[in-house]
């Protein structure tokens, strides 16, 4: 399925609100993370390595979420009943997010979509994309704590194509920095105005 055929995937469209942050803010966040051109290079390499492993990665991540009721909770009606259609719709966008993380330029469209992703986790827009009746808000603490499993579990996939340990480590560090950067951007709807 191409990105344009993924339901609810609105990257680069007029449906995505403009981020309150500027490109200068984004550059300053990248500097704070020591994220530079070498990281961009290794993220692109990671994209090549991961592109045919997306379903296996998602199987692992969904297995992790599904095995923890407090995480699966956000895909339920609040009474413990998971919405399989909602899980499937988010899975398609999650797979595209892996590719976007590695391949998209971190420009205005990328910054705007990071803001949109944050809104879709926050009560502002949660459930609206898929028109579902699910728990209305993802608690912020799980955005932050999910950084670790999303980072640590990607490394074995990065190592599957015969790259040197040094190259794998550089891809992994670039991925880690990008995930931290994105979670920082996703946090914007959770932070009081003037505090971000």
């Amino acid at each position: 399925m191409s990105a344009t055929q993924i339901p609810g995937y609105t990257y680069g469209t007029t449906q995505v609100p403009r981020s309150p942050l500027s490109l200068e803010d984004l550059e300053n966040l990248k500097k704070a993370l020591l994220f530079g051109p070498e990281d961009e290079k290794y993220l692109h390499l990671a994209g090549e390595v991961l592109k045919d492993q997306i379903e296996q990665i998602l199987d692992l991540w969904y297995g992790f979420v599904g095995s923890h009721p407090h995480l699966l909770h956000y895909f339920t009606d609040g009474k413990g009943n998971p919405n399989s259609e909602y899980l499937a719709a988010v899975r398609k966008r999650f797979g595209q997010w892996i590719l976007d993380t590695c391949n998209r330029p971190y420009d205005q469209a990328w910054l705007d979509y990071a803001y949109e992703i944050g809104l879709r986790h926050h009560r502002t827009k949660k459930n609206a994309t898929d028109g579902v009746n699910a728990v209305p808000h993802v608690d912020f603490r799980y955005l932050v704590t999910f950084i670790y499993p999303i980072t640590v579990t990607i490394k074995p996939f990065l190592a599957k194509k015969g790259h040197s340990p040094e190259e794998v480590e550089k891809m992994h560090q670039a991925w880690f920095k990008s995930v931290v950067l994105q979670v920082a951007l996703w946090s914007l709807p959770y932070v009081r105005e003037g505090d971000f």
Side-chain angles (χ1 to χ4, degrees):
M1 180 177 286
S2 73
T4 56
Q5 296 173 317
I6 298 172
Y9 180 71
T10 56
Y11 190 104
T13 70
T14 57
Q15 296 172 40
V16 178
R18 189 168 183 92
S19 172
L21 299 178
S22 68
L23 288 173
E24 182 180 359
D25 292 327
L26 176 59
E27 286 305 311
N28 287 337
L29 285 169
K30 287 164 65 177
K31 288 175 189 173
L33 275 165
L34 307 175
F35 183 97
E38 183 173 89
D39 296 300
E40 292 175 8
K41 171 186 167 185
Y42 281 99
L43 270 179
H44 288 304
L45 180 58
E48 287 298 311
V49 170
L50 298 175
K51 68 182 179 185
D52 63 354
Q53 301 184 76
I54 300 294
E55 290 305 315
Q56 294 92 338
I57 296 166
L58 293 173
D59 286 345
L60 180 66
W61 290 351
Y62 265 53
F64 174 75
V65 169
S67 69
H68 291 86
H70 63 286
L71 299 177
L72 185 60
H73 170 73
Y74 298 106
F75 294 96
T76 72
D77 58 5
K79 299 173 185 171
N81 302 304
N83 183 325
S84 59
E85 291 177 7
Y86 184 31
L87 282 159
V90 171
R91 181 182 173 113
K92 290 175 185 157
R93 293 192 297 270
F94 208 179
Q96 184 60 45
W97 172 80
I98 295 169
L99 298 173
D100 289 349
T101 293
C102 296
N103 299 321
R104 295 276 190 183
Y106 289 12
D107 58 8
Q108 188 67 53
W110 186 87
L111 179 62
D112 294 344
Y113 205 63
Y115 179 53
E116 173 72 4
I117 290 171
L119 292 170
R120 290 181 183 191
H121 285 78
H122 187 263
R123 66 183 51 85
T124 307
K125 286 182 97 171
K126 174 129 180 352
N127 303 332
T129 300
D130 299 297
V132 295
N133 180 22
V135 173
H137 180 77
V138 176
D139 293 318
F140 177 70
R141 62 187 177 269
Y142 293 117
L143 292 185
V144 175
T145 53
F146 216 60
I147 291 171
Y148 185 75
I150 291 298
T151 299
V152 74
T153 57
I154 206 75
K155 192 167 189 178
F157 293 99
L158 295 170
K160 285 188 176 183
K161 298 292 176 79
H163 292 86
S164 70
E166 181 183 4
E167 289 174 310
V168 170
E169 182 59 23
K170 286 182 177 182
M171 286 188 281
H172 192 234
Q173 288 301 310
W175 173 269
F176 181 28
K177 292 177 189 180
S178 179
V179 171
V180 172
L181 173 63
Q182 290 180 77
V183 171
L185 295 171
W186 298 347
S187 71
L188 190 55
Y190 291 83
V191 179
R192 285 185 294 194
E193 188 173 347
D195 286 353
F196 190 80

